[in-house]
Amino acid sequence: MTTGVSRRAMLAASAATAAAPFVLSEAAQAHPGKPGKPEADPTYHLTVLGTSDIHGNVYNWDYYLDKEYDDSAHNDVGVAKVATLVNQLRAKAKGATLLLDAGDTIQGTPLATYYAKQEPITTTGEKHPMARAMNVLDYDAVTLGNHEFNYGLPLLNLWIRQLGFPALAANAVSAKNGRPAFTPYVIKKVDLGKHAPTLRVGILGLTNPGVAIWDRGNVAGKLEFTDMVATAAKWVPEMRRRGADLVLISAHGGDSGTSSYGPELPNENPAALIAQQVPGIDAILFGHAHLEIPQRFVANTKTGAQVLMSEPSKWGQRLTKMDFDLQRDHGKWRITSKAAATLNTNTVTEDPKVLAAVRSQHQKTVAYVNQVVATSTETLSAATSRYEDTPILDYINKVQTDTVAAAMAGTEYADLPVLSIAAPFSRTAVFPQGDVKIKDVAGLYIYDNTLEGVVLTGAEVRAYLEYSAKFFVTLAPDAPIDVNAINDPSIPDYNYDTLSGVDYDIDISKPIGSRITRLQIAGVDVAADARFVVAVNNYRRSGGGNFPGIVKEQVYNAQQEIRQLLIDWAQAKGAINPADFSTRNWQLVRAGVPIQF
């Protein structure tokens, strides 16, 4: 394993393997006291550090803006920042430390995409940048997130083999035999210090059941994803029987108890439910929701035990620090106190060893995204796209429509109109007037979604638009308009979609479900039984966002990445001119009157 940080002598890893995935505990050792003189049991200390949703961030760098990352809160990102905090905490730790990650690691930045798409590690054999970076930190385990499955199982499996530590996912099972497809858990033998008996820490990894929807094309017929709560209930007692003194869950699922998809799959965000319903868990590191939750305690309903929980935000902006004080009680370990906090990585500099490990790959990615692909006749911005029709979204729809329409030629669907759904997209994207680079196009469509096509009826198109229109608050006819407060804050803007190929009005004075007051083509109302081919990304088509009517068998699915299609179209044309694609086909109205912004 390539590493710039020496392995902690206090930890003796006993990692799982596919053939023998579990480690049995040795007999507990009593603390040796002085003969004939009772003494108070000493207190030992364990620190568990945790990251989640790193999403391909190693350097503190914004590849779309081509400069150091910064946001309105002055957060920093990247494994290199995390490493500095981890090294500081390890150096001053009172006892032992463990380092875990709760998933979504190999997708999310042009750096990660480059080594999955442009120079895939499955072709070159090169070590993935996230393997290089995380091996320097010497993690103890990583949980697979849903985005680990984005690039297919061959790339995922190769990345796992490149890691110097286990990758866990107890609830990802073989579709053929129901057995765990990845390592379910490990039990780490931890040395807490001089004269301390060995502490055995069980670490169970749980991935997100939504993979079955979001990456159906990569996992259907190969993997199934069981309920996270039920899976924990299965494995936690097993870990205890095999000698785990302390049990940690590393779960790629938030704590809201809700799902973005329908009820056909197990809960997407059940971290708190796991704590409530499964006895024997001491703490849960969780992710997926990209929230910062420094410390939360959830009582187990069966035992009353308080389960410590923490979520460390996203992209390496925060590091969770869990602290456990432990004593021996009648030959067994007992937790006397536990607490958690999140630490901000903007307080430290980047670790030079991590930077060095990934430098050449980072530089190659920067050079790639700065290639000029076309010239734009004017500046195009997505800043107002959430409340008015903009040419830059028409660009997405033009490319998607042309691609699917060409594929339908000669098929039974050739005579059906082709509509397109633009979703989701970056609200901060800009095509500058003049040279447009790969980073500009990639900055518009920041996800690795592929393009698909399905057939919808007019009624289903209307229902889809009505669902999307929930995004807006209801405004009375005489209420003032504030563009900063026009949307419902409880609905994320990535769940607001726009369609091309039909003309429609969204009347935000109307109640939800009755807002599409005009739906026409060339001035003629769209009939409920009309049929359309609809170009849509694989995330939406698979059920992401729980939009109605879209989860259907595809009539087009060439596994073409939308972002690359946008880049290819610009390169082929050489120019981006709104006159080639801009069509104002939708508007917000109030009591039938168009809203002027």
Side-chain angles (χ1 to χ4, degrees):
M1 179 179 68
T2 302
T3 177
V5 180
S6 62
R7 188 60 173 164
R8 282 101 57 212
M10 64 190 75
L11 298 178
S14 180
T17 63
F22 314 122
V23 178
L24 290 171
S25 175
E26 300 173 0
Q29 303 176 40
H31 178 70
K34 294 182 180 180
K37 183 178 180 181
E39 63 178 28
D41 288 334
T43 296
Y44 298 95
H45 192 81
L46 172 68
T47 297
V48 177
L49 306 176
T51 55
S52 188
D53 297 276
I54 295 292
H55 281 290
N57 287 281
V58 177
Y59 277 60
N60 183 42
W61 194 258
D62 188 326
Y63 291 92
Y64 303 121
L65 298 180
D66 198 27
K67 65 180 182 179
E68 184 175 286
Y69 179 88
D70 192 25
D71 62 16
S72 59
H74 301 298
N75 288 303
D76 288 346
V77 299
V79 174
K81 287 274 186 171
V82 170
T84 300
L85 274 181
V86 168
N87 291 336
Q88 290 177 355
L89 293 167
R90 283 172 174 165
K92 64 182 182 181
K94 295 187 292 183
T97 61
L98 295 174
L99 177 60
L100 309 177
D101 183 87
D104 273 8
T105 302
I106 61 172
Q107 175 275 343
T109 63
L111 173 68
T113 302
Y114 189 88
Y115 288 95
K117 296 291 187 178
Q118 302 303 318
E119 292 187 12
I121 61 171
T122 47
T123 299
T124 65
E126 185 171 359
K127 185 168 287 188
H128 194 284
M130 294 310 298
R132 292 183 184 275
M134 296 180 79
N135 283 346
V136 173
L137 270 75
D138 204 6
Y139 276 79
D140 291 285
V142 60
T143 293
L144 301 184
N146 53 282
H147 283 290
E148 263 65 82
F149 297 86
N150 285 172
Y151 304 115
L153 297 180
L155 187 138
L156 171 57
N157 289 330
L158 178 55
W159 175 69
I160 290 173
R161 293 196 298 271
Q162 292 176 345
L163 297 174
F165 47 88
L168 310 177
N171 61 319
V173 301
S174 168
K176 294 181 178 180
N177 57 33
R179 296 174 181 172
F182 304 93
T183 303
Y185 70 83
V186 291
I187 295 179
K188 307 287 294 187
K189 296 178 181 178
V190 180
D191 183 356
L192 295 177
K194 189 176 181 180
H195 302 309
T198 298
L199 174 72
R200 290 163 181 81
V201 180
I203 305 163
L204 177 69
L206 300 170
T207 192
N208 202 285
V211 175
I213 288 178
W214 304 321
D215 273 298
R216 182 174 293 158
N218 291 329
V219 301
K222 302 172 184 177
L223 298 177
E224 294 177 352
F225 298 85
T226 59
D227 182 86
M228 296 170 76
V229 179
T231 303
K234 171 185 176 180
W235 289 110
V236 170
E238 176 74 6
M239 295 163 69
R240 291 289 186 181
R241 284 194 298 269
R242 291 184 177 268
D245 303 303
L246 188 149
V247 170
L248 306 174
I249 304 289
S250 177
H252 195 76
D255 67 342
S256 68
T258 62
S259 300
S260 64
Y261 43 74
E264 70 274 11
L265 285 181
N267 195 292
E268 179 184 355
N269 295 296
L273 297 175
I274 296 170
Q276 289 173 352
Q277 298 178 22
V278 182
I281 299 169
D282 296 298
I284 301 177
L285 173 73
F286 64 101
H288 183 61
H290 291 197
L291 299 177
E292 181 180 4
I293 302 177
Q295 175 180 274
R296 179 183 178 186
F297 284 98
V298 175
N300 185 269
T301 55
K302 296 181 181 179
T303 66
Q306 295 290 319
V307 180
L308 176 63
M309 303 179 63
S310 182
E311 181 177 13
S313 189
K314 61 184 179 181
W315 305 347
Q317 293 179 352
R318 301 290 186 273
L319 174 70
T320 279
K321 179 176 181 282
M322 294 181 174
D323 290 296
F324 301 86
D325 287 324
L326 304 105
Q327 290 183 342
R328 296 290 283 180
D329 187 2
H330 295 93
K332 295 183 178 181
W333 285 107
R334 176 172 58 89
I335 298 173
T336 59
S337 70
K338 53 186 175 182
T342 50
L343 307 179
N344 197 326
T345 59
N346 70 6
T347 61
V348 296
T349 59
E350 293 174 290
D351 179 73
K353 293 180 180 178
V354 172
L355 297 180
V358 186
R359 180 169 287 116
S360 64
Q361 295 173 313
H362 166 74
Q363 291 172 342
K364 183 176 286 189
T365 303
V366 169
Y368 169 73
V369 300
N370 277 284
Q371 294 179 30
V372 175
V373 293
T375 301
S376 180
T377 59
E378 60 186 86
T379 299
L380 303 179
S381 171
T384 63
S385 295
R386 62 189 173 89
Y387 54 83
E388 65 179 355
D389 195 340
T390 57
I392 199 167
L393 290 201
D394 293 334
Y395 175 74
I396 296 176
N397 281 325
K398 171 64 173 175
V399 174
Q400 293 185 165
T401 299
D402 285 358
T403 302
V404 173
M408 293 298 100
T411 73
E412 62 181 295
Y413 308 104
D415 294 333
L416 296 183
V418 178
L419 313 183
S420 175
I421 297 172
F425 53 88
S426 170
R427 283 10 182 217
T428 60
V430 174
F431 289 178
Q433 184 176 17
D435 287 347
V436 176
K437 300 177 180 179
I438 286 176
K439 68 182 179 67
D440 301 318
V441 181
L444 171 61
Y445 204 97
I446 61 174
Y447 300 95
D448 297 326
N449 295 330
T450 56
L451 183 62
E452 299 185 1
V454 297
V455 174
L456 297 187
T457 66
E460 288 170 329
V461 170
R462 178 180 291 276
Y464 193 101
L465 289 170
E466 289 285 9
Y467 186 90
S468 181
K470 297 193 305 180
F471 177 72
F472 299 103
V473 298
T474 302
L475 285 181
D478 57 349
I481 297 172
D482 179 0
V483 295
N484 296 315
I486 201 169
N487 59 283
D488 183 340
S490 69
I491 300 176
D493 61 5
Y494 55 73
N495 270 354
Y496 174 62
D497 297 359
T498 65
L499 271 74
S500 69
V502 289
D503 302 316
Y504 60 98
D505 291 347
I506 305 172
D507 194 329
I508 59 176
S509 69
K510 302 288 186 181
I512 290 173
S514 304
R515 290 179 164 179
I516 306 304
T517 54
R518 180 175 69 98
L519 181 61
Q520 298 178 328
I521 295 180
V524 178
D525 290 345
V526 172
D529 61 352
R531 297 173 76 233
F532 304 92
V533 173
V534 180
V536 61
N537 68 57
N538 67 297
Y539 174 79
R540 278 287 185 264
R541 205 281 313 164
S542 296
N546 202 26
F547 279 68
I550 200 71
V551 181
K552 292 187 173 184
E553 184 177 353
Q554 308 99 313
V555 297
Y556 169 80
N557 183 15
Q559 290 293 298
Q560 291 182 289
E561 187 179 319
I562 294 171
R563 181 163 51 191
Q564 191 62 49
L565 288 171
L566 299 177
I567 293 169
D568 292 345
W569 194 92
Q571 287 179 314
K573 294 288 185 180
I576 296 175
N577 185 344
D580 294 333
F581 50 79
S582 180
T583 303
R584 290 193 172 273
N585 68 295
W586 69 272
Q587 61 183 346
L588 293 185
V589 303
R590 185 169 55 172
V593 178
I595 298 175
Q596 302 297 322
F597 295 102

